[in-house]
Every structure is written in structure tokens, then in C-alpha cells.
Amino acid sequence: GLSPRPLSVSGMDEHGLKIQQAAATAGTSPTELCERISGLFRQALSQAGVSYTDFIRTSEPRHQRAVRHFWGALGRAGVLYKGSYEGWYCTPEESFLPESQLAERTDSQGQPCKVSLESGHQVHWTKEENYMFRLSAFRDPLQNWLRDNPRAICPDPFYQRVLRWLDEDLPDLSVSRERSRLHWGIPVPGDPSQTIYVWVDALVNYLSVLGYPESHGAWWPAAHHVVGKDILKFHALYWPALLLAAGLEPPERILVHSHWTVRGQKMSKSLGNVVEPGVCVGQYGVDGFRYFLLRQGVPERDCDYYDEKVVKLVNSELADALGGLLNRSTAPSINPSNTYPRFSEPCFPKDCREAKGTGRACAEDYELVAAVASLPAQVDGYFQGFQIYKALECIAQCVRQTNGFFQRHRPWKLDRRDAGEQLWLDTILHVTLECLRVFGTLLQPVVPHTADKLLSRLAVGPGERGLSGLAFLARYDGKPCPFEGRQLGPDTDILFHRLGKS
């Protein structure tokens, strides 16, 4: 069915042992700690220009109610049982780990200890009686779901990884903890001696934010989760199995991203190499920082971050290539009337064979027009496929080609007093502004302020900035161009200021 307008949701998963311990260490209550941290997350999102329709915190009453209902659905389905559990527990990851995922190390006292291979965090032998979820019963349903939906988990390497997990042992999952050990969480309905496992609680946020159990049907399962690769197992194995058990469909798509390393090393508090997003926004501007992350961040593999790389990329592509092109093509010396110039068909005929006669356009110009004409569909496809970096690569390539076109024909050398030259000058500018209008439209999700500045300078109105009606170079196809002859917007100074060495 048709969903209402799109929702984007962010939020905080606030329960669990590590939060309980962190609050105790800080000498505060878990509630106060979460209140402070969730404020920092909201601040970071708004600083980075990330909007959301809703921000869910797992400590909210609406969420707790949804979790209790979800637990009830699992109980009615007969997939929960009481079992005694023992194994190596990793508190920072909030999960039990099999021997195969452990390594031997020595602790700070020089005593032998076991740590998680993935994170390096110490694990502790833990034995208790818990509720167990019959995960083992869901191997076939999960395999069928993935076979029928090869794009359910993307990019593909992560899809393959989940298929491999399903070929391995799939033990039942412990889904509660003793309340005496873990009081910061939602009690198991009907058994106050147990607390619901933090991951079962946290994953239900995707439903509670949609008004589960009453109104989620308008949305679910048309949900797309964006998750880090380190929490793939919870989202791609446990969550779909829990949903199927509760009588719901798995989410439509799980988009997985890798991590940023710093000069080849994993970011960690102990190494002191954590990059603070707030500092970066201050240094590079929100658009500069977003552009770098989205242009260089490849979801399927870890990418390396260092300041010189940001400065170099943002200066060359945003400040010089895009900003320079706008400046040169709207400068008063080249466009004294400050209008969107007219396109002349005889100068740039649609059929390049005719171009030999009156036309002034050359083969590379036709290549440029073809490239920019196909750009919106290309970019849309890459955005849909969660490959923003490929979309930006295509745009950057077209910006370079447009600069080449402008440079090649040297419009500043043309004599305005000659009628023929004036027509060709206007045509060069028309094509350049049309290219810039396409780039500005396509860059809106990535660099919202810069794109708005660019489109406003080109006098593109708020209702003319959508992807669907983005007709490029209409006059080339013999159709009227609504921008032609329009007065340009006010000169807004430099589009993007060059970054200095940080």
C-alpha cells in the first residue's frame, strides 16, 4: 500500500549493563547519564544538518509499552523458554561470544584473560538462568527470506556474510538477564526477577516509533535500516527472526556501512585518535565535512580519514571546480545583463552532422551534453543503491567536463558587438548554467547550503528543485526553457570558501 510521507528516525538505545556501569563510574544515575548523552547526539545531528522526523529513546513510555507487547507476542508464539545459560559475556558488546571469537591476552595485572577478537574487550564467564529464544528454529525461514530478497542486505559482501552465518551453527539466543545484575532495563512481563536483554529491547525501537502495536501497519515492513557493520548480526539474523516469530515481516532493506579509520588505525578512546564531528564542522563547514564523508566513504570497506585529504578534496571539487564555474559564468564582465541567456539552435544544432555548417559546437561538447543529460538518472540509481560516493564521482566528472567546455570556447574573447558572436556567447553561457542547475539540484541532499546558494543565484525557485521535473537543456530538444531570459538571483559572493591548512 501507499505509505504516508517518508519518516526518518534517529534515537538512543539507553538500557543495558554497560550504561549501568558507566553511570556508576561517573557517579550519576543511568537516567541522568542518558539525558545528557542524548542531548549531545541531538546536537551533533543538528550541527551536521541531519534532520529526523522522530527521535526515539528506549527509556520512553511508548517504547517500553511496545517492548512489553512484543515480548507477549513472542510468548504467545511459543518461542521463549526458561533455560540455564553459561558462557563468555562481553559487556561493551552486550553479548555472549563463542570460543571461536575469543583470544587469550593478559590483563593490566599480568593475569591471563580472554578478550573478544572483534573488539579486543575483555569477556567474563557468566552463568545464569534466563529466558531463551528459539533462534535455531528460524534458519530455514531466514534463508528463504534472503534467497527471495537478494537486495535485502546491501552492499553485497554483507549479504554474503549473513548467508555464511546461516550455514554455521545457529544456537538459541539468551533474551533476558537476572534483574539483580541488570536493573537498568525493562522487566520481563510477569517475571520481575528478569530484565529483557538490551538488544531485544533496542531493536523494537523501529516498531515503537511507528506506533506499534496499533498503527505500525501503515509503514511496516517498508523500513530501511542504516547500520554499522559491527551490529550486522543483531540486525540481519536476530531481528528478522524475532519479527518472524512475532508474526511480522523482516524490514525491506538493511543498508550497512563500514568504519572510518584514522591514518590506518581504528578510532579508539585509548589511542586518543577519535575525530570529533563538531570540531570538523567548525573547520570545514557543515557542507565541506558532509561532502568529504559522502564522497570518500565507501560502505563496503573501511575508509581512512585525515585532515589534509579533506582540505585537498573540498578545495579542488567544491571551491575551485564548482564555485569557480559559477563565478566565471555569472561574472558581470561576461554576463552584464545578469540574466539566464538564450540558447541558439543554429550555434549548437541537435544533430552534430549539421554542426559542420553554421554550428560552433565540437564533438566534446556533444559528449558533455550527453553526460549531463544522463546524470540525474545515474545519480538517482546510485542514491537508491546506497552508493553516494559513486553518484558524487559522476557529478565531479561532469563538473570537470563543464569547466573544460567553458575553457575551450573562451567566451571572454568573443566580441559582443558582432550579432553572431553574441548568439554563441549566450549559448555557451546557457549550456553552462543549465549544467550548473543540474549539479545544484543533484547535490541538495549532500551539501544543502551550497546547493541552495547555487540554485538561488541561478534564480531556480523552490518549486523547481525536484528530481522528477529536472529537464536539462530543454531548448536542445526544441522545447521552451522556463529559465531563459529570467533575471538571475543576487550575487551571493563566493560559493564555497577555500579551506586553509588546518
Side-chain angles (χ1 to χ4, degrees):
L2 281 172
S3 283
R5 69 190 178 85
L7 277 180
S8 66
V9 177
S10 186
M12 291 265 294
D13 149 23
E14 301 190 342
H15 293 136
L17 193 57
K18 71 174 163 189
I19 308 282
Q20 181 176 304
Q21 290 174 351
T25 308
T28 179
S29 70
T31 312
E32 285 166 336
L33 177 75
C34 291
E35 190 62 46
R36 189 174 68 79
I37 303 286
S38 75
L40 292 174
F41 269 96
R42 283 177 185 246
Q43 192 186 337
L45 288 170
S46 71
Q47 259 186 335
V50 177
S51 61
Y52 43 82
T53 325
D54 206 330
F55 190 96
I56 181 97
R57 297 176 55 191
T58 60
S59 52
E60 291 177 47
R62 60 173 172 160
H63 175 72
Q64 307 205 3
R65 185 174 155 265
V67 171
R68 286 195 290 271
H69 192 278
F70 190 81
W71 184 275
L74 296 175
R76 288 189 294 279
V79 294
L80 300 176
Y81 64 94
K82 243 339 195 349
S84 121
Y85 196 91
E86 56 182 325
W88 295 103
Y89 193 70
C90 175
T91 303
E93 292 178 41
E94 295 284 13
S95 66
F96 281 100
L97 298 176
E99 288 282 352
S100 60
Q101 285 178 29
L102 302 177
E104 297 282 349
R105 296 277 185 276
T106 46
D107 65 16
S108 50
Q109 271 76 51
Q111 297 297 313
C113 68
K114 286 191 190 296
V115 300
S116 157
L117 268 178
E118 173 102 358
S119 67
H121 294 300
Q122 198 170 340
V123 296
H124 301 278
W125 186 260
T126 306
K127 182 177 179 177
E128 59 184 36
E129 198 183 10
N130 297 140
Y131 285 92
M132 305 292 292
F133 167 63
R134 293 186 200 281
L135 182 63
S136 52
F138 288 89
R139 169 177 281 152
D140 287 352
L142 288 173
Q143 284 178 328
N144 294 338
W145 162 59
L146 287 175
R147 293 223 173 91
D148 295 344
N149 299 283
R151 287 168 59 76
I153 299 168
C154 166
D156 190 61
F158 297 113
Y159 173 76
Q160 300 301 338
R161 186 179 301 176
V162 177
L163 285 178
R164 284 198 301 277
W165 282 336
L166 284 169
D167 285 336
E168 294 165 15
D169 201 20
L170 203 60
D172 286 349
L173 183 66
S174 160
V175 288
S176 71
R177 299 286 178 262
E178 281 178 7
R179 190 96 187 144
S180 58
R181 206 163 68 85
L182 174 62
H183 53 80
W184 179 240
I186 301 173
V188 166
D191 185 349
S193 74
Q194 296 274 320
T195 300
I196 295 175
Y197 174 44
V198 59
W199 269 105
V200 176
D201 157 3
L203 287 161
V204 175
N205 92 83
Y206 297 118
L207 291 174
S208 49
V209 83
L210 301 178
Y212 175 85
E214 291 83 25
S215 55
H216 62 286
W219 296 95
W220 200 264
H224 290 197
H225 299 336
V226 181
V227 304
K229 65 177 185 179
D230 51 324
I231 50 174
L232 179 60
K233 189 170 267 181
F234 299 99
H235 281 84
L237 283 186
Y238 304 162
W239 177 227
L242 288 162
L243 284 163
L244 290 167
L248 291 161
E249 296 279 306
E252 197 170 285
R253 294 191 85 184
I254 300 170
L255 303 165
V256 190
H257 61 79
S258 299
H259 296 160
W260 283 98
T261 56
V262 175
R263 300 193 182 275
Q265 284 186 296
K266 193 172 173 175
M267 272 190 227
S268 78
K269 290 197 189 78
S270 53
L271 284 175
N273 65 348
V274 175
V275 176
E276 280 293 335
V279 174
C280 296
V281 168
Q283 254 171 347
Y284 313 124
V286 62
D287 281 7
F289 190 44
R290 285 169 63 114
Y291 186 79
F292 173 79
L293 293 178
L294 292 165
R295 173 82 167 86
Q296 294 281 311
V298 178
E300 50 263 54
R301 59 178 183 272
D302 288 356
C303 298
D304 205 38
Y305 179 92
Y306 49 95
D307 294 322
E308 302 85 63
K309 198 153 116 183
V310 186
V311 172
K312 199 175 155 189
L313 178 92
V314 171
N315 279 347
S316 79
E317 294 190 359
L318 280 188
D320 301 347
L322 189 67
L325 186 61
L326 177 68
N327 261 356
R328 298 165 74 190
S329 56
T330 56
S333 58
I334 209 144
N335 187 350
S337 61
N338 197 39
T339 51
Y340 210 99
R342 300 196 173 280
F343 180 86
S344 156
E345 275 103 344
C347 292
F348 204 140
K350 170 123 201 210
D351 187 342
C352 53
R353 283 184 303 254
E354 290 172 34
K356 300 285 178 284
T358 52
R360 321 249 323 226
C362 65
E364 287 155 295
D365 303 339
Y366 287 95
E367 281 166 31
L368 165 71
V369 167
V372 179
S374 62
L375 190 62
Q378 213 176 4
V379 165
D380 188 34
Y382 284 136
F383 275 4
Q384 300 290 342
F386 198 51
Q387 294 191 296
I388 316 289
Y389 72 103
K390 285 193 176 168
L392 294 182
E393 209 173 319
C394 293
I395 295 172
Q397 172 59 32
C398 283
V399 173
R400 276 195 294 278
Q401 275 177 276
T402 314
N403 271 304
F405 164 76
F406 197 83
Q407 195 62 31
R408 193 162 49 243
H409 295 299
R410 306 191 154 179
W412 58 91
K413 289 270 208 262
L414 294 171
D415 182 2
R416 229 184 279 281
R417 289 163 307 199
D418 176 319
E421 300 259 286
Q422 175 71 55
L423 285 178
W424 177 226
L425 171 65
D426 284 350
T427 303
I428 295 170
L429 294 180
H430 181 95
V431 171
T432 306
L433 297 190
E434 277 292 273
C435 292
L436 279 165
R437 183 173 65 84
V438 170
F439 305 149
T441 305
L442 297 177
L443 285 168
Q444 289 174 109
V446 178
V447 284
H449 308 291
T450 305
D452 173 56
K453 205 168 166 181
L454 170 57
L455 294 171
S456 300
R457 178 74 174 106
L458 300 181
V460 181
E464 301 171 313
R465 298 182 177 193
L467 189 58
S468 49
L470 184 57
F472 168 64
L473 212 55
R475 286 290 305 274
Y476 192 62
D477 293 312
K479 299 193 182 86
C481 167
F483 302 97
E484 207 171 53
R486 197 183 278 193
Q487 197 62 38
L488 291 180
D491 184 358
T492 47
D493 182 37
I494 291 170
L495 182 67
F496 194 94
H497 286 273
R498 284 185 64 93
L499 303 172
K501 293 277 174 283
S502 57

